[in-house]
Amino acid sequence: MAEKILIVEDEQTLLETLAYNLRKQSYEVITSSDGHSAIKAARQHHPDLIILDIMLPGLDGFEVCRILRQEMTTPVLMLTARDDEIDRIVGLEVGADDYLTKPFSMRELLARVKALLRRIRLIREEMGGPTSKDTHQIYTFDNLIVDTARREIRLNEQVVPLKPKEYELLLYFSQHRGQVLTRDLILERVWGWEYIGDSRTVDVHIRWLREKLEVDPANPKRFITVRGAGYRFEG
Ligand code: CA
């Protein structure tokens, strides 16, 4: 089955060029030219990847990314015309998976698209095969339950709302309980091969998970810091 890519870009010529080249690579392409219709299209078509321009009529790319991040973990490749936007793009506020600065070559874009989609396949494989979306897998750690079918975390039988990246990070830990995981490895597996952020991103997310899931976040029993190495999930 072809992977589905949503392209959001209001410059018609660029939109058509992108769509043409991605279709030539056998991807299924959906297009959108403004922020509101982009959100609608993402909800309706559940793309495997979103290519999102920042300067858009209506909602801009930042707002679109923020809204979609609450609802889905689809990787987002942002397009920007300005270098000074990069910190915001990869920062925690917006949390895009990758970005390209205009002008970019089609070869570069295709390489990024491939890398992001490969990461998603890898995550699905680790979760138990390409059809894992439909596989009901439950990890139980005492009073903590990670339910992959519902994408839901329950602590003492109460659902704990997690942001998409917090969920993915916890899932990755759940699959590697007891192993020491370096920040670089975590960044690679949870944020993607091409992610340009620094390892503090991992630390901040661990802090949030501790605040939500530890009895005493200052004295963690689940998410253990391994000095000079990284983190270990004790369950
Ligand atoms: Ca634009």
Side-chain angles (χ1 to χ4, degrees), residues 149-213:
R150 297 176 180 214
R151 287 188 69 85
E152 194 173 88
I153 306 302
R154 294 189 292 279
L155 184 67
N156 297 320
E157 286 158 28
Q158 299 289 314
V159 174
V160 181
L162 291 187
K163 295 186 185 124
K165 281 296 177 216
E166 291 173 344
Y167 172 82
E168 286 181 31
L169 179 58
L170 177 58
L171 180 60
Y172 186 61
F173 274 129
S174 303
Q175 292 158 338
H176 300 88
R177 181 188 193 171
Q179 295 176 28
V180 177
L181 305 172
T182 65
R183 289 175 178 80
D184 284 348
L185 182 67
I186 294 169
L187 266 182
E188 183 182 286
R189 292 307 173 93
V190 179
W191 275 266
W193 308 100
E194 304 279 332
Y195 189 74
I196 321 269
D198 64 68
S199 56
R200 273 174 305 177
T201 304
V202 176
D203 299 335
V204 171
H205 280 77
I206 298 269
R207 198 177 74 220
W208 289 341
L209 284 178
R210 281 174 175 159
E211 280 163 9
K212 289 179 180 177
L213 303 175

Side-chain angles (χ1 to χ4, degrees), residues 18 50 97 109-110 145-146 150 160 180 195 229 232 234-235:
L18 290 171
I50 301 171
D97 295 87
L109 177 107
L110 293 174
I145 291 170
V146 181
R150 297 176 180 214
V160 181
V180 177
Y195 189 74
R232 191 178 68 236
E234 284 297 324

Side-chain angles (χ1 to χ4, degrees), residues 127 131-139 145-150 154:
M127 283 169 64
T131 57
S132 63
K133 267 185 185 164
D134 310 318
T135 307
H136 195 138
Q137 198 163 354
I138 294 182
Y139 298 90
I145 291 170
V146 181
D147 185 336
T148 65
R150 297 176 180 214
R154 294 189 292 279

